[in-house]
Amino acid sequence: MSTARPSRRKTGCRRPRRPSRPRERGATDRGEAVAHRLALVTLGATSVLILLGGLVTNTGAALAVPDWPSTFGYNMLLFPWARMAGGILYEHSHRLAGAVVGLLTLGLAAALWPAGGRLRWLGVTAAVTVVAQGVLGGLRVVLLEDTLAIVHGSLAQAFFALLSAIALLSSRAAAVPLRGADPAVRRVAFAAAAAVYLQIVFGALLTHAGWLWLHVGGALAVFAVVPSVTARLRGTGDPVAAPIARVLLVLLGLQLLLGVGTFLARFTAIWIPGGQTTLLVLPLAHRLVGSLILGAVVVLALRVSGHPRSAAASRVPAMTLDVMASGERGRGAQELGHPQSAAASRTPLQ
């Protein structure tokens, strides 16, 4: 009697293997992580640039360097450091910082290009905007037009808002939709972003054209709308919207104090401690906090818009379709290899 174990019947079908993750996905994730970090660096450099721009404006150093794109006939990058003093120091430092931000923005656009979709075109828009901003700044020096100064200052803040949007949409958090927010908050958030930006434009008009009460009216509108957004988003528990809403509320309080202090220092005879230093620091801080408020409101408006970033959102459906297709192929192969068992496994409804 043979003791050999009967061999199992082999079929030409194999159990379908679970599809592996595409190799490109890891590279794409790393690329977007690099782009996100670069967006944050560019955002920080732009904050410094905005401060330097305010320093140039508030010290009257905008025309300390009379030529452009050269600096007293020198290549901008080769101007002697020994001659950088007073207004020349402020204005030339502003130009050098602008060049750094320009290079960072071009690098950011290149880093966003492989992501495709919305991120790619946001990167292109940022690159075009930073070039236009540099040209506007140069024309302001050459043509001596205050209108160009107003447009230059307003576009700088729009560029900051654009970088804030890129920083959010290139992050992993952008792939997860916001939960727990009132749908009506979307309209309020976008209205708040528009109000904050208009208020910044009114600030530029105040600086260069003296339109004080327009700026005061804009402040009232901002403080009427923005706290409503923060109140609706602080309790959502969202890892992005909730903390930014809390920080935004603090920034609003700080901005109110800075605005009142700047008004008293510039437009009244009330004594302010610190003298000229306070007169310089208050409007600079007021300008920077205004930029931060704009960036925060734009991030919140995008967060509640309900549209996750296209690149991240498109991966899950694509992989789901691959798994479903693989499963269908596997079941078809089993039916070809074992027609009887396949027929027996069907229910009467099939």
Side-chain angles (χ1 to χ4, degrees):
M1 183 176 179
S2 174
T3 59
R5 298 177 62 183
S7 60
R8 298 179 62 182
R9 181 181 178 183
K10 295 183 179 180
T11 65
C13 300
R14 294 182 179 179
R15 185 178 180 181
R17 298 175 61 184
R18 187 175 182 179
S20 59
R21 298 173 67 182
R23 294 181 180 179
E24 293 82 1
R25 182 177 179 184
T28 302
D29 287 343
R30 287 192 296 272
E32 290 182 1
V34 170
H36 175 64
R37 295 189 186 98
L38 187 55
L40 294 178
V41 172
T42 309
L43 196 60
T46 304
S47 301
V48 175
L49 180 59
I50 289 174
L51 271 179
L52 289 174
L55 185 63
V56 167
T57 300
N58 288 281
T59 57
L63 302 178
V65 179
D67 54 338
W68 179 85
S70 58
T71 301
F72 292 104
Y74 287 88
N75 181 296
M76 183 180 70
L77 302 178
L78 302 178
F79 183 71
W81 285 92
R83 296 183 58 181
M84 292 181 61
I88 297 175
L89 172 63
Y90 301 148
E91 169 61 16
H92 192 65
S93 298
H94 181 58
R95 294 186 181 190
L96 293 177
V100 171
V101 170
L103 291 175
L104 286 173
T105 305
L106 294 178
L108 176 61
L112 290 172
W113 185 266
R118 178 170 53 182
L119 284 176
R120 172 181 293 179
W121 295 113
L122 285 175
V124 171
T125 303
V128 172
T129 303
V130 80
V131 172
Q133 180 71 344
V135 173
L136 278 173
L139 292 178
R140 164 72 176 96
V141 173
V142 175
L143 301 179
L144 305 177
E145 288 287 342
D146 285 340
T147 302
L148 291 177
I150 295 171
V151 176
H152 183 62
S154 301
L155 186 59
Q157 300 289 349
F159 178 68
F160 187 87
L162 176 61
L163 290 178
S164 301
I166 292 174
L168 171 69
L169 295 175
S170 60
S171 67
R172 292 184 177 181
V176 182
L178 174 68
R179 299 182 183 276
D182 183 358
V185 76
R186 181 186 307 176
R187 294 187 296 271
V188 181
F190 278 99
V196 171
Y197 183 69
L198 282 176
Q199 170 65 351
I200 288 175
V201 174
F202 294 159
L205 289 171
L206 169 61
T207 300
H208 298 283
W211 294 14
L212 172 61
W213 296 110
L214 185 63
H215 189 56
V216 173
L220 294 176
V222 167
F223 280 92
V225 178
V226 176
S228 174
V229 177
T230 62
R232 299 186 186 195
L233 293 178
R234 288 198 310 271
T236 60
D238 183 74
V240 176
I244 290 181
R246 288 191 288 268
V247 171
L248 179 57
L249 195 60
V250 174
L251 289 175
L252 282 174
L254 178 60
Q255 186 72 334
L256 178 61
L257 294 176
L258 291 171
V260 171
T262 302
F263 174 81
L264 295 177
R266 292 185 60 184
F267 300 103
T268 69
I270 296 177
W271 177 80
I272 300 293
Q276 292 299 319
T277 301
T278 303
L279 287 174
L280 180 61
V281 170
L282 281 176
L284 288 180
H286 190 56
R287 182 188 300 253
L288 179 60
V289 174
S291 302
L292 297 177
I293 290 174
L294 176 63
V297 173
V298 167
V299 167
L300 290 179
L302 289 175
R303 187 64 182 146
V304 301
S305 65
H307 300 291
R309 70 185 185 197
S310 56
S314 63
R315 290 177 188 149
V316 176
M319 292 188 65
T320 303
L321 290 175
D322 289 341
V323 173
M324 292 175 62
S326 176
E328 290 295 332
R329 288 194 298 268
R331 284 194 294 271
Q334 288 179 349
E335 290 180 3
L336 289 175
H338 304 281
Q340 294 180 353
S341 60
S345 64
R346 294 193 182 100
T347 64
L349 293 177
Q350 293 176 324

